[in-house]
Amino acid sequence: MDQHTRAADAAGESTTRIAATAVWRESGLFTATERAALSLTESITTVAQTHVPDEAWREAAVVLTASELSAVIALAVTINAWNAVGASTRAWPVEP
């Protein structure tokens, strides 16, 4: 989280929106496009439980272009893969 928060800050994202990311569903700070990307990303991250619901896919497909959909999928899958590698190899300390 620290790495991504610093990157968002460096890219000019507001502190308010960075903090609101954890509650994006309840926040009015995100556009329909951002909300669709966040919803699809969460579904991909929890694919074992959600199986990426049709609703999440349809919602994203309505507001994202084909290349934006591809980018969201590629980024979510890649980040989740690296998280799995890191957790599996204990690449970072895990606090009890």
Side-chain angles (χ1 to χ4, degrees):
M1 282 304 298
D2 183 58
Q3 173 188 352
H4 298 299
T5 299
R6 282 184 282 135
D9 183 54
E13 191 57 71
S14 75
T15 304
T16 302
R17 278 178 39 103
I18 292 170
T21 303
V23 293
W24 68 267
R25 288 184 192 279
E26 294 80 18
S27 173
L29 297 174
F30 300 94
T31 67
T33 301
E34 292 167 333
R35 296 172 73 75
L38 288 164
S39 178
L40 183 58
T41 299
E42 280 189 358
S43 294
I44 292 167
T45 299
T46 58
V47 68
Q49 293 82 36
T50 68
H51 305 285
V52 185
D54 290 339
E55 180 182 340
W57 178 260
R58 279 192 300 271
E59 178 183 275
V62 166
V63 296
L64 300 174
T65 66
S67 62
E68 289 170 332
L69 275 170
S70 297
V72 169
I73 293 165
L75 288 168
V77 168
T78 301
I79 291 167
N80 281 301
W82 280 113
N83 285 338
V85 169
S88 300
T89 61
R90 308 303 192 257
W92 57 82
V94 177
E95 298 292 324

